[in-house]
Amino acid sequence: MSTHKVAIITGASSGIGRHSAIALSAAGWSLTLTARRLAQLEETKDACANPTSCLLVAGDITDEEFVKSLFEQTIKKFGRLDLLFNASFFPNETMAVFPNAGMSDKPHPIEEMPLELFTSVVNVNLIASFLCTREAFKIFKSQTPTGGRIINNGSLAAHVPRPHSAAYACSKHAVSGLTTSSAIEGRQFDISVTQIDIGNAHTSMAAGHTLGALQPDGRRVAEPTFDPVHVAETVVHIASLPNGVTVLEINIMATGAPYAGRG
């Protein structure tokens, strides 16, 4: 059995995806890194321990033909696939980006939710994860030896949503369904599937929580965050397990995050 390990990481241009890429590279993995922004992917590659073992494929992860090409290019370069980390995500809609409209920090009660926003969130958080999972399954089932691992980027919102975040919460609940369904279908082929639910890792997306996050009772409360390097270390640990061992779901969050005990 080959000891050479290959991973595809989506959303690798920043945040959890970038930190995980750096950690996996340090652990000896070869990587295919994908996101929309090539310049930022180059920055991730340069930060990796072995940049020559990184393949950059920039594009739209919600586009079916692009996703097929992403996996084809990975196999062409590395010969196999051991891990898919579906790390890309569309942030909570209180931090949504609309074309030609810049950054919006306005919460969106469900009666004011634009269909464009709802669809964009679902496309990135769910449809892209499905497309990548489908292509990974094809490879995992056909390669020798069979098997592989998928890690899905979940969220505390898959269990306890934030106010005015219906699209994000719906998409993350759906990712839970994708995770469980994939785990069931992958069992007999040594395909292991994990959902990692992250709460308040201090990336650019979550940094605003330290200034005040909207609570169900209408208050804004400063919430603690934690270094995303700990998420990356967790990803490396799960990725290092044999395919016969599954961590179906794992929660990693700031100790003071308002999750357990309803706040």
Side-chain angles (χ1 to χ4, degrees):
M1 181 183 297
S2 173
T3 58
H4 179 64
K5 296 294 186 180
V6 179
I8 292 176
I9 304 175
T10 70
S13 61
S14 63
I16 298 300
R18 172 176 287 180
H19 282 278
S20 298
I22 293 168
L24 284 166
S25 179
W29 286 68
S30 295
L31 306 174
T32 296
L33 307 178
T34 187
R36 291 177 181 267
R37 303 171 296 174
L38 181 58
Q40 283 80 0
L41 284 176
E42 293 280 3
E43 292 174 0
T44 301
K45 176 181 176 180
D46 291 344
C48 286
N50 190 1
T52 59
S53 293
C54 295
L55 171 65
L56 306 185
V57 186
D60 180 2
I61 204 68
T62 68
D63 179 83
E64 184 174 17
E65 294 307 313
F66 171 76
V67 172
K68 290 179 180 179
S69 175
L70 170 68
F71 282 78
E72 290 168 357
Q73 290 182 61
T74 299
I75 295 303
K76 183 177 180 180
K77 181 171 179 63
F78 298 117
R80 65 176 287 109
L81 178 67
D82 300 283
L83 171 68
L84 164 65
F85 183 19
N86 283 315
S88 63
F89 76 104
F90 196 110
N92 185 306
E93 46 269 38
T94 61
M95 294 291 289
V97 178
F98 285 94
N100 303 316
M103 183 71 73
S104 170
D105 61 1
K106 177 186 176 184
H108 289 85
I110 196 165
E111 71 273 15
E112 298 175 9
M113 175 69 64
L115 178 59
E116 177 190 11
L117 174 57
F118 192 94
T119 302
S120 295
V121 174
V122 171
N123 282 345
V124 174
N125 292 353
L126 175 62
I127 302 303
S129 294
F130 159 71
L131 290 172
C132 290
T133 295
R134 185 184 68 183
E135 297 309 307
F137 258 65
K138 293 175 183 177
I139 295 171
F140 291 159
K141 286 185 175 183
S142 63
Q143 65 189 2
T144 303
T146 59
R149 187 176 299 274
I150 298 171
I151 300 176
N152 290 324
N153 185 5
S155 173
L156 298 189
H159 309 276
V160 181
R162 291 188 179 276
H164 301 165
S165 60
Y168 185 77
C170 288
S171 69
K172 291 303 184 179
H173 276 75
V175 168
S176 295
L178 177 64
T179 298
T180 306
S181 297
S182 302
I184 292 170
E185 293 194 32
R187 281 177 185 167
Q188 62 180 307
F189 302 100
D190 265 348
I191 300 171
S192 173
V193 187
T194 296
Q195 179 167 315
I196 183 166
D197 294 326
I198 304 164
N200 291 13
H202 196 96
T203 64
S204 59
M205 293 296 181
H209 293 333
T210 62
L211 301 177
L214 183 63
Q215 306 297 311
D217 62 4
R219 294 177 301 144
R220 285 196 174 271
V221 176
E223 295 181 0
T225 58
F226 70 101
D227 192 329
V229 70
H230 300 301
V231 177
E233 291 170 348
T234 303
V235 169
V236 171
H237 170 67
I238 295 171
S240 71
L241 296 171
N243 291 337
V245 177
T246 293
V247 179
L248 183 61
E249 185 177 338
I250 186 167
N251 175 310
I252 181 168
M253 63 183 183
T255 299
Y259 174 68
R262 300 191 179 209

